[in-house]
Amino acid sequence: MTGWTPDSMPDLTGKTAIVTGANSGIGLPTALELARHGARVVVAARSPEKGAAAVAEIQRAVPGGQVEYGHIDLADLASVRRFAEGVEKVDLLINNAGIGLIPRQETKDGFEMQFGTNHLGHYALTGLLLPHLLASPGARVVTVSSDAHKGGSIDFDNLALEHGYRRMSSYGRSKLANLLFTLELQRRAEKAGVDLTSVACHPGATATNIVNIGRLQPLVGVFLKSAAAGALPTLYAATSPDIRGGEFVAPKFKIVTPSAAARSEELARRLWDVSAELTGVRPKI
């Protein structure tokens, strides 16, 4: 599929897409292309100011495009619930927002920040929106992971990482959790016989807010892709008719095999159960 471009995307008129973190990074060009192809797009982000600026930018690029801002803070489960309560329809959920490589912090609910935001926030959001997704034929959930998942591991006795915190290993853990969730959601959808596709993707080395863009700006185009280029695996995963549930889309639209840990059904089931206990969200699937 090396010849695939955003121009290959189908007409999305009548579809509603929610993109978390669509105010910047790869989320912004993702939302823009979805709007360009006719989707109603919800820019789900924490900052109203940045969210409004992203909406305005997309509307300038896509005159007449259906795009709106929705407030969500994935590090606050109450905010996730409020956002979900305002949703009436969703055909495509893109769990894109993410933080990484930060000093140890905690979410409003007391979870380690990278795990709480990147995984638990998206787990809760997907679970809360599941009734709407199941009501939409051909619905997809796309979760953005990373090749860094290979360096992650999950110690259920130390989820808070109060001891031995490392920025990179914590990030890798959250990205491993993203893949475990993606694959478990797909397995449950298949077992339930519902029309829902769960896939994952990773953008490769991309200049986003996760890295220090200003310091690394000279590397964009050499070692780092632009955000628009980094969004291509997400767009392919979200719209290509060739995608199958449980696939992991890498740069250049390659379908790659996640790590053995990411493919562990036992680990995925345990993470699902623990996530349900921690968030209070128990998806009926």
Side-chain angles (χ1 to χ4, degrees):
M1 293 301 300
T2 54
W4 192 92
T5 72
D7 290 339
S8 308
M9 292 168 56
D11 179 20
L12 300 174
T13 300
K15 303 289 186 181
T16 294
I18 295 173
V19 185
T20 65
N23 58 293
S24 64
I26 66 174
L28 180 54
T30 297
L32 189 155
E33 288 297 341
L34 293 172
R36 194 192 304 279
H37 285 80
R40 170 180 167 260
V41 179
V42 179
V43 172
R46 181 178 56 185
S47 167
E49 294 78 13
K50 293 179 180 179
V55 168
E57 181 175 341
I58 295 171
Q59 289 177 331
R60 285 193 297 271
V62 188
Q66 300 180 72
V67 56
E68 61 194 72
Y69 167 71
H71 179 263
I72 186 170
D73 182 351
L74 290 160
D76 179 356
L77 291 176
S79 174
V80 174
R81 289 183 179 276
R82 285 192 296 270
F83 175 85
E85 287 170 358
V87 174
E88 297 181 355
K89 180 181 186 294
V90 58
D91 303 274
L92 175 60
L93 172 62
I94 299 183
N95 292 322
N96 163 81
I99 58 172
L101 312 181
I102 61 172
R104 189 186 181 281
Q105 301 173 37
E106 292 185 355
T107 69
K108 187 171 182 179
D109 303 283
F111 308 126
E112 185 275 314
M113 183 66 77
Q114 296 192 77
F115 183 75
T117 301
N118 298 351
H119 167 62
L120 291 175
H122 281 127
Y123 164 88
L125 177 63
T126 305
L128 293 168
L129 294 182
L130 191 60
H132 297 299
L133 288 161
L134 296 182
S136 300
R140 286 191 196 184
V141 177
V142 178
T143 301
V144 179
S145 182
S146 167
D147 213 32
H149 82 276
K150 296 175 182 176
S153 62
I154 298 178
D155 179 356
F156 290 99
D157 294 324
N158 187 28
L159 283 180
L161 291 183
E162 292 176 333
H163 309 288
Y165 180 84
R166 297 291 184 273
R167 299 183 189 199
M168 189 64 199
S169 60
S170 171
Y171 179 68
R173 180 182 72 154
S174 72
K175 296 290 102 178
L176 171 59
N178 287 152
L179 275 166
L180 287 164
F181 168 67
T182 295
L183 295 175
E184 180 64 12
L185 178 59
Q186 181 61 34
R187 282 189 287 265
R188 289 174 180 248
E190 290 174 359
K191 184 177 181 179
V194 296
D195 188 10
L196 176 71
T197 299
S198 174
V199 297
C201 61
H202 81 84
T206 305
T208 69
N209 290 336
I210 287 180
V211 299
N212 186 325
I213 299 176
R215 180 170 57 87
L216 299 179
Q217 188 66 43
L219 301 181
V220 177
V222 181
F223 299 108
L224 296 176
K225 292 191 291 290
S226 67
L232 294 179
T234 302
L235 291 167
Y236 181 71
T239 65
S240 172
D242 298 325
I243 284 293
R244 299 293 176 265
E247 291 185 326
F248 186 27
V249 182
K252 299 183 180 179
F253 318 112
K254 294 180 180 178
I255 307 300
V256 297
T257 302
S259 68
R263 303 195 308 273
S264 170
E265 295 187 25
E266 179 182 359
L267 186 59
R269 286 193 296 269
R270 186 175 183 188
L271 178 64
W272 185 285
D273 291 342
V274 168
S275 300
E277 184 67 27
L278 292 174
T279 65
V281 177
R282 293 173 171 82
K284 295 181 179 180
I285 189 171

